[in-house]
Amino acid sequence: NAGVTQTPKFRVLKTGQSMTLLCAQDMNHEYMYWYRQDPGMGLRLIHYSVGEGTTAKGEVPDGYNVSRLKKQNFLLGLESAAPSQTSVYFCASRRTTGFLYEQYFGPGTRLTVT
Amino acid sequence: AQSVTQLGSHVSVSEGALVLLRCNYSSSVPPYLFWYVQYPNQGLQLLLKYTSAATLVKGINGFEAEFKKSETSFHLTKPSAHMSDAAEYFCVVSDERDSNYQLIWGAGTKLIIKP
């Protein structure tokens, strides 16, 4: 099993450009999350999904959109990138049986907006 | 609201010395607690978790953490630091208000190992 994978690993955007980050998991997890990691701030939740076709806002959703058309994929979109969105983005997933707080993380995407 | 505080954004220890990374949480109800580790240019990996079964929790790579309800603390320790322990460590607490089992993250502590 590959676990949670993220595409791309690195990206540089100019202000105003758009892009989509792809997260894929092969563990059949219902829940998926998008976080951003900034220095000195830990991880902050952007959006999450509790199942295929559903999405919900997290702590810092402004400037981002998400879609969960397939259970295994969770897409994060930036419609008009801003320098404040320079960050490392992590995707995670979790199961709905057993210990429910454990999340499984992808390797991250480092995004720079100039 | 639930929060978690990690004391020290950077901790430096010599190889072979004791590692102590401090974490305090704010909750009247003992939550679930975790330590995650992030090695340079890698993703996040669960180091250990406290789920109320035992107050002393052992994790991977020789790390352990002790849950102390009276001090609302969950400090991470390792008796003897190794160069490969250099990483960023995050203390994480469960958000009991949330029915979706969300996590609340500390700001992280970067562990530096001196040869």
Side-chain angles (χ1 to χ4, degrees), chain B residues 55-70:
Chain B
T55 56
L56 184 62
V57 181
K58 294 190 185 298
I60 60 173
N61 300 334
F63 283 92
E64 61 182 35
E66 186 172 9
F67 172 73
K68 291 188 176 180
K69 182 180 175 183
S70 61

Side-chain angles (χ1 to χ4, degrees), chain A residues 22-43:
Chain A
L22 171 64
C23 175
Q25 53 95 5
D26 61 1
M27 297 175 282
N28 202 36
H29 287 172
E30 292 289 342
Y31 280 70
M32 296 186 74
Y33 306 84
W34 275 109
Y35 293 93
R36 59 177 289 172
Q37 181 188 23
D38 300 296
M41 298 188 73
L43 270 66

